[in-house]
Amino acid sequence: MKFKDTLKDIKTYSAGKPIELVVRDYGVAPENIIKLASNENPHGCSPKVREKISQIVGNMYRYPDDSFFELKEKLSTKFGVKDTNIIIGAGSDQTFEFISRALLEEGDKVLVNRISFAMYDIYAKQEGAVMIKTDTIEHDLDQFKTLYQEHKPKLVYICTPSNPAGDALDKVDVYDFLKTVDPETMVVVDGAYMEYASFKEAKKLIEPKDLIDTFPNCIYTGTFSKAYGLGGMRTGYAIASEEFINSLLKMRPPFNITTLSLAAAVEACNDEEFVTFAIDDCFKEMKRYEDFAKENNFDYIDSYTNFITLMLNDSMNSSEISEALLKKGVIVRDLGSYSMNAIRVTIGTTAENDRFFKIFKEVLGN
Ligand SMILES: *Cc1c(COP(=O)(O)O)cnc(C)c1O
């Protein structure tokens, strides 16, 4: 069979190793495994969401309301935009897919940071687009400006805060870059971790309404997978001008999130206190990782997310360390595939982090 040529250049996405596979491949008992690899919320989701799901679980034979009316209403209130400015995706991932398919044609250029979310590349390459990348780990907007002028890409992704590095840009600097971009170029601002960044420093906050009012060529994306603790429910959204959203809606399959996902996301919007608690706890625990790195003489990237990227010394190899941790039941993300000698660790609960420090020390041999 001859598949599309564009597929040749695509690496299959490899997600963080699930607990089930560590049980199978390493014989570690499930209760001894801690997964700090996929930036899930270690506190789970709001108890209100769990309660809601148990009440409506019998509804799963029904398709969801395909207009997602209630969820769009919650999001419009939260962000001060109209429901016609919102599209719902199966994770914000699916909104990147809609954007790529609606916008990109063979040979179009897409500008991204060198260290960035793998799905930007995968969706772009499916359409035969060409990736233009900076050469830095953290977002460097001077390079974005230079590469933008040189290549005039059709699409630009700004991931702030950034995954897998964890850095975040100041709003003024992002706006300063956006002023140099032509209206014909679409810029996606991926705010998957925005709730964390704005909690840590107000100047990092980019609000969807202000963004799209100021720069109508921008799209803001957000998700319930991280701070809201609903990764397994696969619900995200994109916010943009009505014109953009109408084009993206043409890419959307019917009922693209489930009946239970929809109810969970709606209910999650009713419990912002849970989100604040989880974020506050995350940064308290992150401080312990920073201290741990200092005590053990390795570097880390100052993080505005729910994970921390530990930059290992030359005496350590990120793939070997990740493998050694895995054998002891600790799942982290090896960043070797990004040509970084680093591991990304999702901030867990206090008990999980205690365990990580203990086992990491064992692996380092001290
Ligand atoms: C997790 C993540 C997303 C969203 O993931 P979904 O679960 O598909 O909503 C988007 N961008 C980045 C950078 C992420 O880390």
Side-chain angles (χ1 to χ4, degrees):
M1 186 60 62
K2 189 177 175 320
F3 286 92
K4 289 162 74 176
D5 278 341
T6 51
L7 266 53
K8 287 184 187 143
D9 197 24
I10 298 177
K11 277 199 210 132
T12 305
Y13 183 80
S14 105
K17 215 176 180 71
I19 290 173
E20 293 82 347
L21 286 192
V22 180
V23 174
R24 194 191 70 190
D25 297 349
Y26 297 89
V28 185
E31 63 274 17
N32 291 330
I33 296 174
I34 53 171
K35 185 180 178 216
L36 304 175
S38 297
N39 305 338
E40 293 146 338
N41 189 329
H43 301 288
C45 63
S46 157
K48 288 187 182 163
V49 173
R50 253 176 279 166
E51 172 73 25
K52 180 77 187 178
I53 292 297
S54 62
Q55 284 165 6
I56 63 146
V57 77
N59 287 355
M60 71 176 120
Y61 73 101
R62 285 202 189 278
Y63 286 119
D65 160 22
D66 193 48
S67 74
F68 305 131
F69 168 78
E70 254 191 300
L71 181 55
K72 286 186 183 174
E73 196 177 43
K74 292 281 183 201
L75 291 170
S76 347
T77 310
K78 182 174 157 74
F79 293 118
V81 296
K82 291 198 234 120
D83 59 348
T84 48
N85 295 122
I86 303 170
I87 184 168
I88 303 299
S92 53
D93 255 303
Q94 194 182 34
T95 68
F96 306 141
E97 183 186 355
F98 296 156
I99 292 167
S100 268
R101 285 175 43 220
L103 193 71
L104 297 175
E105 286 172 300
E106 184 101 31
D108 280 342
K109 292 176 180 170
V110 179
L111 174 60
V112 297
N113 198 56
R114 177 170 82 86
I115 304 296
S116 222
F117 196 48
M119 292 315 297
Y120 306 154
D121 279 45
I122 294 177
Y123 291 130
K125 285 177 179 168
Q126 287 173 359
E127 305 310 314
V130 178
M131 304 308 290
I132 311 290
K133 296 192 179 189
T134 65
D135 60 18
T136 50
I137 290 177
E138 299 185 26
H139 277 59
D140 173 349
L141 289 171
D142 288 334
Q143 268 200 42
F144 268 81
K145 281 182 196 166
T146 309
L147 291 171
Y148 178 75
Q149 293 307 333
E150 189 182 333
H151 296 280
K152 292 283 165 141
K154 182 101 182 266
L155 177 62
V156 180
Y157 280 98
I158 303 270
C159 186
T160 185
S162 167
N163 177 17
D167 58 301
L169 296 161
D170 289 357
K171 176 189 156 181
V172 293
D173 297 330
V174 174
Y175 277 34
D176 192 43
F177 166 67
L178 292 173
K179 283 177 201 151
T180 70
V181 174
D182 301 334
E184 293 74 34
T185 299
M186 186 184 287
V187 183
V188 177
V189 174
D190 178 356
Y193 303 91
M194 191 62 80
E195 295 89 350
Y196 293 90
S198 58
F199 183 94
K200 186 168 170 177
E201 264 181 49
K203 67 178 181 185
K204 305 290 182 189
L205 175 64
I206 295 175
E207 287 166 295
K209 179 175 166 43
D210 189 62
L211 178 76
I212 66 171
D213 284 352
T214 317
F215 302 103
N217 58 326
C218 283
I219 296 195
Y220 180 94
T221 59
T223 182
F224 287 94
S225 298
K226 308 289 161 55
Y228 289 84
L230 293 176
M233 284 299 199
R234 314 301 307 119
T235 305
Y237 50 89
I239 297 176
S241 69
E242 197 169 322
E243 180 203 336
F244 280 14
I245 295 298
N246 285 341
S247 292
L248 298 184
L249 283 170
K250 297 184 183 182
M251 303 295 133
R252 189 184 70 88
F255 314 116
N256 57 319
I257 66 169
T258 72
T259 302
L260 298 188
S261 310
L262 177 60
V266 169
E267 196 58 36
C269 293
N270 294 332
D271 193 359
E272 295 289 344
E273 263 174 46
F274 166 80
V275 176
T276 308
F277 150 76
I279 296 175
D280 184 49
D281 187 65
C282 165
F283 285 120
K284 282 184 185 138
E285 290 292 320
M286 192 179 296
K287 176 77 173 57
R288 299 176 64 212
Y289 278 83
E290 295 169 356
D291 294 342
F292 181 81
K294 286 173 197 152
E295 280 160 25
N296 290 278
N297 296 312
F298 54 84
D299 226 344
Y300 60 86
I301 300 176
D302 197 19
S303 172
Y304 290 84
T305 64
N306 63 350
F307 60 83
I308 188 161
T309 294
L310 305 176
M311 309 292 276
L312 304 180
N313 299 328
D314 291 344
S315 62
M316 316 168 182
N317 172 291
S318 67
S319 304
E320 285 169 22
I321 296 234
S322 306
E323 185 71 13
L325 287 170
L326 211 50
K327 285 190 179 135
K328 291 174 180 278
V330 177
I331 318 175
V332 300
R333 188 81 166 170
D334 171 23
L335 299 183
S337 60
Y338 289 91
S339 308
M340 286 170 76
N341 188 29
I343 57 170
R344 189 193 70 190
V345 187
T346 305
I347 308 299
T349 60
T350 305
E352 286 171 337
N353 300 328
D354 285 344
R355 212 96 188 277
F356 173 84
F357 298 136
K358 179 171 168 287
I359 292 177
F360 196 66
K361 276 191 173 167
E362 286 170 20
V363 164
L364 295 180
N366 44 349

